[in-house]
Amino acid sequence: MENKSKYWEEEIETMDRKSLEALQLERLKKTVGRASTSPYYKKLFAEKNISPDKINSLEDLQNIPFTTKEELRNNYPYGFVAGSMKEAVRLHSSSGTTGNPTVVLHSKHDLDSWANLVARCMYMVGLRDTDIFQNTSGYGMFTGGLGFQYGAERLGALTVPAAAGNTKRQIKFIMDFGTTAIHAVPSYAIHLAETFREMGIDPIKETKLTTFLIGAEPHTEEQRKRIEEMMGVKAYNSYGLSEMAGPGIAFECTWQNGMHFWEDCYIVEIIDPETLEPVKEGEIGEMVLTALDRTAMPLLRYRTRDLTRFIPGDCPCGRHHKRIDRMKGRSDDMFIVKGVNIFPMQIEKQLMKYEQLASGYMITIQPTATGDEIVVEVELSTLFSDDYSDLENLQKSITRSLKNEILVTPRVKLVQKGTIPRTEGKAVRVKDLRKLV
Ligand code: DLL
C-alpha cells in the first residue's frame, strides 16, 4: 500500500519521550544479555557484576564501563562478536593505517535494521520511490556505499551505484539518467559542483537534482550553503560511524536544524572527555553511543571521539528523537598551536566566506625555530580569478579573518585551483609535520 504519511514509520518517529525511553530500556536489557555472549563483554561483565537483571532503569547504563576504539583494536578481529559466528553475514573494516584496523560484523538482522534506518532518513528529507538516487561513495569497506545502497533500495528508489571518482562520468549519469538525489561526502559534493561549472553545464537548469545527502566528514554550514547554491538543491547532513552500523543513525530533517538521532536503536550520551561525566544539557562534549538493535556485535557506551551537543527543545517536524548539532570535529582532529586549541572547521568556516576561493584547502603545522607555524594553503576559484586585481589584499583579508577566529596568525598561501591533492573518499585537511619530527 502506498505510504502517504510524512513519516516512514510514524509510530516510532513521533513516539513520546516516555514510550521511547520504555522501549530503550526493554532493548537495553536485551542487548546487555546478547553482549554478554561475546568474549570481551563476558569477561568485563563478570568482573563488574553486570547482567540484564541489574538493568532496571536507563540510569543503570552508567554502571557499564565505556568501550573505546583501543579495545576494539586490542580484541581484533572477533573479540566483540556475540552469539555464534554463523549468524554474521558481513564484515566492514576501517583502513587501519595506525595498527590493527577495527572490524565490525553484521547479522542479517543488523543489515535489515540498518537498511530500514537509512530508508527512514531518506524518506524524512522527502525522497520517495519515484526518486533516482546516485551514490558517489566507494562500495567497499566504507559503509557509505553499501549502507546507502540497501537503504535506497528499501525506500524503493531507482538506485545508480556509480561509486567513487570519475567526476565527468558521474555528471554524465546525472544528466542521462535524470538523477534527482545524490549521496556524497561534502568535499566531493563541492568538487562535483565545481566540475559542472568548469564543463559549462548549469546544474540548476540542466539537471533534475533536488537533494544532496552529505556526511561522513566534518563540514561547516558555509560549505553546505555553497553546495546548495551551486547545485540548486537542499543538502542534508548525515552522521554515522561503522562501529554503530554506518550512515543512517542521525540525520537532518527538512528543518535543517540538527540531526535526529534514532533513539529507538541507539542511546546517546554526551560526556566531558576529561572528567567522563555528562555535560550540562546543550553543552559540547564527546558523544558516547550504545547500540540497542544490533546482534552480531553490539557495542555499549562506545566513545566516538566526536564532539557535538544536544540541541535543546522540540523540533517542529514532530519527531521526538533528540537532535545533535553539526559536529565540531573529532577530539583527535584538534591541534594545539601556541597554546590555543584549534579545529580545522574553524578555518574552513572563514575560508568558505570568500567567493574568490575554491573548496580545496590544506592546513600544515610546521615546527620552526621561533615556534610552530600554521600554513593555510587555499585554492583560488577559477571563476573569480579575473574579477580582482589585488591578490595581496585578498591574502591579507583572509589572514585577518583567520586570526580573529583562531587567535593565531597563520601564513596564508593562495594557490591555483587543482594544486591541493584530492582524495577519493574523505578529505584530508591537516598535515601536522611536528608528528614527523
Ligand atoms: O563515515 C559512515 C557514514 C557514511 C556516515 C556515509 C555518513 C555518510 P566511518 O568511516 O566509520 O563511518 O567514519 C565515522 O566519520 O566518527 C565522524 O568522525 C565522521 N563523520 C561521520 N559523519 C559525519 C558528519 C562513516 N555528518 C566518523 N559530520 C565519525 C562530521 C562525520 N563528521
Side-chain angles (χ1 to χ4, degrees):
M1 204 179 71
E2 201 189 339
N3 186 356
K4 295 249 190 252
S5 165
K6 69 179 202 189
Y7 306 101
W8 178 250
E9 287 166 297
E10 184 155 359
E11 199 186 326
I12 295 259
E13 291 176 54
T14 60
M15 194 175 250
D16 61 78
R17 294 288 319 165
K18 207 163 149 248
S19 314
L20 196 51
E21 283 167 17
L23 177 65
Q24 285 187 318
L25 179 59
E26 183 195 316
R27 289 186 165 179
L28 177 62
K29 273 165 129 12
K30 233 166 122 180
T31 302
V32 168
R34 177 78 189 174
S36 66
T37 63
S38 77
Y40 176 81
Y41 285 118
K42 187 174 184 179
K43 184 160 169 280
L44 181 77
F45 289 178
E47 281 164 19
K48 305 277 176 197
N49 194 20
I50 294 164
S51 58
D53 55 300
K54 302 245 167 47
I55 306 283
N56 297 310
S57 73
L58 289 177
E59 282 70 55
D60 292 337
L61 177 65
Q62 305 290 322
N63 301 330
I64 302 177
F66 296 110
T67 301
T68 63
K69 206 175 187 85
E70 266 311 285
E71 274 137 356
L72 287 189
R73 290 209 171 106
N74 295 342
N75 292 277
Y76 172 87
Y78 298 135
F80 276 87
V81 177
S84 148
M85 277 289 283
K86 256 176 61 183
E87 293 168 69
V89 293
R90 195 189 312 157
L91 179 154
H92 279 278
S93 150
S94 69
S95 57
T97 39
T98 50
N100 275 340
T102 50
V103 160
V104 181
L105 276 79
H106 304 261
S107 64
K108 280 189 183 151
H109 171 85
D110 298 334
L111 294 180
D112 184 65
S113 161
W114 180 17
N116 185 54
L117 288 189
V118 174
R120 200 194 275 177
C121 296
M122 296 178 84
Y123 195 91
M124 175 163 71
V125 298
L127 300 180
R128 297 291 181 267
D129 56 7
T130 43
D131 274 285
I132 301 181
F133 171 75
Q134 185 166 323
N135 191 1
T136 68
S137 278
Y139 271 68
M141 290 296 196
F142 177 51
T143 52
L146 292 173
F148 269 103
Q149 182 63 32
Y150 287 111
E153 285 178 10
R154 179 69 58 93
L155 178 75
L158 171 61
T159 60
V160 182
N166 203 338
T167 307
K168 293 205 168 126
R169 182 164 153 265
Q170 300 277 3
I171 289 176
K172 182 169 167 50
F173 286 171
I174 293 170
M175 312 280 296
D176 292 356
F177 303 149
T179 301
T180 56
I182 292 266
H183 171 242
V185 294
S187 51
Y188 190 68
I190 284 266
H191 178 62
L192 198 60
E194 286 170 348
T195 311
F196 263 111
R197 285 199 173 180
E198 281 159 24
M199 289 169 73
I201 305 171
D202 179 356
I204 304 175
K205 296 208 183 95
E206 298 177 57
T207 73
K208 298 206 167 104
L209 288 168
T210 62
T211 312
F212 265 52
L213 312 178
I214 52 169
E217 65 183 17
H219 56 288
T220 52
E221 186 59 36
E222 287 72 16
Q223 186 161 359
R224 181 236 291 274
K225 292 226 171 79
R226 210 176 246 213
I227 296 167
E228 293 193 329
E229 280 164 21
M230 287 175 86
M231 298 299 298
V233 296
K234 282 276 176 202
Y236 296 101
N237 195 356
S238 140
Y239 172 84
L241 70 167
S242 314
E243 295 91 318
M244 291 290 140
I249 69 176
F251 218 87
E252 276 181 333
C253 66
T254 49
W255 289 86
Q256 292 185 309
N257 183 18
M259 296 176 276
H260 289 278
F261 223 104
W262 296 128
E263 289 184 275
D264 53 318
C265 294
Y266 298 93
I267 295 178
V268 190
E269 299 169 78
I270 298 186
I271 61 162
D272 177 327
E274 302 292 323
T275 64
L276 306 183
E277 292 298 321
V279 295
K280 289 205 198 86
E281 183 79 15
E283 275 179 17
I284 293 181
E286 176 181 344
M287 199 163 47
V288 172
L289 300 175
T290 297
L292 295 176
D293 192 31
R294 293 182 45 78
T295 62
M297 204 176 126
L299 296 180
L300 305 168
R301 303 197 83 204
Y302 182 68
R303 289 187 60 178
T304 63
R305 305 192 211 176
D306 290 323
L307 302 172
T308 185
R309 64 180 192 111
F310 285 124
I311 296 188
D314 291 330
C315 182
C317 77
R319 294 174 183 86
H320 299 296
H321 298 246
K322 279 190 190 158
R323 286 168 298 162
I324 52 163
D325 207 349
R326 177 180 297 288
M327 296 296 138
K328 187 170 175 205
R330 291 175 65 78
S331 49
D332 31 15
D333 279 349
M334 191 190 77
F335 55 89
I336 304 178
V337 171
K338 298 194 174 26
V340 185
N341 297 351
I342 300 165
F343 285 96
M345 284 308 104
Q346 290 176 276
I347 293 179
E348 178 179 300
K349 186 170 169 224
Q350 295 306 321
L351 298 180
M352 285 290 146
K353 290 186 179 157
Y354 289 88
E355 56 179 16
Q356 301 97 319
L357 300 180
S359 59
Y361 70 92
M362 176 66 80
I363 304 162
T364 308
I365 303 142
Q366 268 174 349
T368 70
T370 54
D372 297 334
E373 183 184 42
I374 303 174
V375 182
V376 178
E377 281 172 282
V378 57
E379 290 180 353
L380 286 163
S381 155
T382 40
L383 284 183
F384 297 99
S385 55
D386 296 337
D387 288 6
Y388 60 92
S389 51
D390 199 345
L391 275 178
E392 205 181 314
N393 278 345
L394 176 67
Q395 194 231 24
K396 278 191 188 143
S397 163
I398 299 169
T399 309
R400 263 196 312 275
S401 316
L402 289 175
K403 160 89 196 297
N404 285 340
E405 175 76 39
I406 60 176
L407 310 176
V408 175
T409 308
R411 184 147 61 90
V412 174
K413 278 171 132 177
L414 302 177
V415 298
Q416 293 267 315
K417 179 134 198 312
T419 316
I420 313 256
R422 288 187 189 278
T423 38
E424 209 160 72
K426 305 188 188 209
V428 177
R429 301 298 198 187
V430 183
K431 264 194 295 191
D432 192 341
L433 301 182
R434 295 173 301 187
K435 292 186 178 153
L436 304 175
V437 179

